[in-house]
Amino acid sequence: MSESISHVPMLGANYHTHTHRCKHAAENERNYIENAIAGGVKILGFADHTPQFFDDGYYSNFRMYPEELQNYTDTLLNLREEYKGQIDILIGLEVEYYPKFFGRLIDFLKDYPMDYLILGQHFINNEFDGYQHVIHPTEDVSFIAQYTEQVCEAFETGYFAYAAHPDMCNFIADPAVYRSYSRRICEKAKELDIPLEMNFLGYTEKRCYPRMDFWEIAAEVGNTVIFGCDAHQPDMIPNNYAFRDCLAIVEKLSLNRTETIRMTMRK
């Protein structure tokens, strides 16, 4: 792009940053931090894909392993101290809400210095008992119903600072059905004061989200929106061009936007 980055708006905070531990993001947390500082970001939260505890010792190959969490938190605590005064570094996790296994996860996380959790619901059901990625196009009403149920139930737990890409579910059938289930998510988030993320990765890669029909409903309900880089590479922070274009959507729809979150895991 030829336009100077100095002529576009600036992102002040990003709470959605991944690390190499999820098996599909770049190494070296320091590079993410340096890019964030250079781009004017004041708060950088890491929220890598959480460990999960399944039955029979099953391990997922697209998230952090439980034994990696200690290194994750130790590394970020050290970097927080090193960059003190230049940028605020927060420690979080992006979590799939799997009701069957959620209690095991929370019990495990209580021994670590976590600041917050974000809900990143990529699958219905869970990875052990059978699942389908919500980004895959579907006309199955029972699928979007299950997705909605898990998201709303996750909100009710009180553990989630916000919902990442809540518009990821790629329902392509009756628009009225999509709007009905999306409104339920938006109304539950509004009731519990949980922000909804407009996702820069989805925007940049032209995925099925952000979905304008979802955000039109969010505007009607009066939800608060938060921006998330969903950075899997250091150059995805701060992504000022995505910020500029998503900000235009927010302003067009008169959505409320925040750059602060609740620290839902602090003791």
Side-chain angles (χ1 to χ4, degrees):
M1 296 179 181
S2 59
E3 182 181 357
S4 170
I5 216 166
S6 64
H7 297 311
V8 299
M10 307 296 284
L11 182 69
N14 172 58
Y15 302 94
H16 196 165
T17 313
H18 291 278
T19 79
H20 63 94
R21 297 170 189 82
C22 71
K23 321 297 185 290
H24 59 277
E27 295 191 24
N28 198 335
E29 295 84 354
R30 188 179 302 278
N31 291 343
Y32 291 90
I33 295 168
E34 295 285 352
N35 272 25
I37 293 171
V41 177
K42 304 301 181 185
I43 302 172
L44 183 64
F46 284 84
D48 208 1
H49 292 284
T50 187
Q52 288 281 2
F53 292 87
F54 300 105
D55 294 334
D56 298 334
Y58 171 80
Y59 268 30
S60 165
N61 63 0
F62 44 79
R63 63 179 66 261
M64 191 187 311
Y65 295 152
E67 57 267 28
E68 293 178 298
L69 189 61
Q70 187 69 61
N71 177 262
Y72 176 70
T73 56
D74 286 349
T75 298
L76 294 178
L77 287 173
N78 289 335
L79 289 167
R80 175 188 288 175
E81 187 62 27
E82 180 180 342
Y83 284 92
K84 189 175 182 179
Q86 299 180 67
I87 191 169
D88 291 333
I89 296 174
L90 300 175
I91 305 173
L93 289 168
E94 182 179 8
V95 177
E96 305 278 351
Y97 177 68
Y98 298 150
K100 180 177 178 180
F101 304 117
F102 189 66
R104 300 182 198 176
L105 174 63
I106 293 301
D107 287 344
F108 176 68
L109 296 181
K110 286 177 179 177
D111 291 331
Y112 293 88
M114 308 304 304
D115 294 314
Y116 65 96
L117 304 180
I118 61 176
L119 175 67
Q121 199 70 36
H122 302 83
F123 308 98
I124 63 166
N125 202 1
N126 65 73
E127 296 157 49
F128 182 77
D129 296 310
Y131 62 94
Q132 180 178 334
H133 203 297
V134 301
I135 202 171
H136 296 154
T138 182
E139 298 182 359
D140 185 352
V141 175
S142 67
F143 187 92
I144 193 172
Q146 178 65 28
Y147 170 78
T148 301
E149 179 180 346
Q150 283 186 235
V151 169
C152 291
E153 189 174 321
F155 289 167
E156 292 278 7
T157 69
Y159 281 107
F160 294 101
Y162 74 80
H165 41 65
D167 49 343
M168 179 184 278
C169 187
N170 195 8
F171 185 76
I172 59 171
D174 187 347
V177 171
Y178 180 80
R179 291 182 64 86
S180 176
Y181 283 106
S182 296
R183 182 172 292 276
R184 183 179 167 201
I185 289 173
C186 290
E187 289 178 346
K188 180 59 67 174
K190 175 70 172 177
E191 173 191 339
L192 298 173
D193 194 24
I194 296 173
L196 303 174
E197 180 199 79
M198 193 171 289
N199 187 274
F200 288 0
L201 176 62
Y203 179 83
T204 301
E205 295 191 350
K206 304 186 187 311
R207 298 182 176 181
C208 62
Y209 60 95
R211 282 185 66 149
M212 284 299 295
D213 47 358
F214 180 93
W215 293 107
E216 287 166 358
I217 295 166
E220 293 170 6
V221 172
N223 291 107
T224 298
V225 62
I226 190 166
F227 289 161
C229 291
D230 198 353
H232 289 72
Q233 303 288 334
D235 63 3
M236 296 170 73
I237 299 175
N239 199 341
N240 285 313
Y241 294 100
F243 176 72
R244 175 196 60 192
D245 292 351
C246 288
L247 185 62
I249 295 172
V250 166
E251 291 175 347
K252 177 182 178 181
L253 296 177
S254 299
L255 282 158
N256 301 312
R257 190 175 71 87
T258 188
E259 288 197 330
T260 62
I261 62 172
R262 289 178 293 164
M263 299 295 110
T264 53
M265 289 298 288
R266 286 186 179 173
K267 298 177 181 178

